[in-house]
Amino acid sequence: ATQASYENDSFDNKYDEGVPYPLAGVDANGTGNVIYDELEKQNPSILLGADAARSFGWFVRYATTINLNGHSMTTNGNQSVIDVTANGNLVITGNGTLDASGGRDSVTAVTVDHGGKLTIENGKEGNSCIYNAGGTVEIKGGTFKGDPQWTLNCQDGSGSVITVKGGTFYKFDPSNANVGAGEIVVPDSFKVVQNGDWYTVVAE
């Protein structure tokens, strides 16, 4: 459900808070447009009630929380699963999956445009995972498995930084990433622990 900050009824403004979308992402065209429409509203808070798919992905333009609720959001097109635009501020939680593996090779799970902000609390991200094109990205948790070369990536010359304070990464060490200097930062109060092909960021 969406709980807008201005919504009220005869009881209070939280009567439908936390209620999943019925069959979220399964509209007449099977494209996930129901979620797209909700994201066009001011400051939505979305709790998925089912898996969602959309060829052209979804755009986040406002302060938004997406609780994946154990479900997936996928794309098979040529745009990111989620694109956080200049004024967008997205928090991802809910231990679900963002999967761009069905899209073209360059498609990412999440792209953050200049001025946008992304916080990942948990969940699974696949394919080319996170691309920061000039925004602010903080990773606090989650599982990231895709092409190790592009797991976390920043646009060249954009001054972008991805700060990593948690998460587990497949064949990708965020403290020793083969990207531009200073683009991927693991703060001093955190460290990376390796277990085979997996690297986990934990507090010192």
Side-chain angles (χ1 to χ4, degrees):
T2 297
Q3 182 64 48
S5 60
Y6 53 82
E7 182 180 44
N8 280 282
D9 65 4
S10 60
F11 300 100
D12 56 34
N13 65 352
K14 297 181 181 295
Y15 73 99
D16 63 352
E17 188 174 47
V19 178
Y21 283 118
L23 298 178
V26 186
D27 59 13
N29 299 315
T31 58
N33 287 337
V34 61
I35 297 171
Y36 182 91
D37 291 342
E38 291 299 320
L39 289 172
E40 291 295 293
K41 299 177 181 179
Q42 289 279 349
N43 305 325
S45 181
I46 293 175
L47 176 65
L48 292 192
D51 295 344
R54 192 170 190 274
S55 293
F56 298 102
W58 292 269
F59 293 87
V60 170
R61 309 180 195 280
Y62 308 102
T64 301
T65 296
I66 297 179
N67 185 331
L68 297 171
N69 194 29
H71 297 293
S72 66
M73 296 176 72
T74 61
T75 182
N76 60 5
N78 59 3
Q79 290 196 188
S80 304
V81 177
I82 297 176
D83 190 317
V84 183
T85 64
N87 294 315
N89 183 351
L90 173 63
V91 175
I92 297 173
T93 188
N95 286 315
T97 301
L98 299 178
D99 187 359
S101 62
R104 296 186 180 178
D105 289 343
S106 60
V107 172
T108 64
V110 184
T111 292
V112 183
D113 297 335
H114 183 79
K117 183 177 180 180
L118 169 68
T119 302
I120 299 176
E121 295 184 345
N122 49 50
K124 298 178 181 179
E125 283 70 35
N127 201 33
S128 296
C129 294
I130 308 299
Y131 182 64
N132 189 357
T136 301
V137 175
E138 183 173 81
I139 297 173
K140 297 180 177 180
T143 301
F144 301 79
K145 184 177 182 181
D147 184 338
Q149 183 179 0
W150 309 114
T151 300
L152 302 179
N153 189 24
C154 293
Q155 184 180 53
D156 292 341
S158 67
S160 300
V161 175
I162 298 175
T163 302
V164 185
K165 297 180 178 179
T168 298
F169 303 82
Y170 179 69
K171 292 186 177 180
F172 179 84
D173 180 354
S175 67
N176 188 29
N178 186 24
V179 296
E183 289 184 355
I184 313 299
V185 175
V186 177
D188 291 340
S189 55
F190 295 85
K191 65 180 180 180
V192 176
V193 177
Q194 183 179 1
N195 182 8
D197 288 335
W198 293 90
Y199 296 82
T200 300
V201 178
V202 299
E204 286 276 16

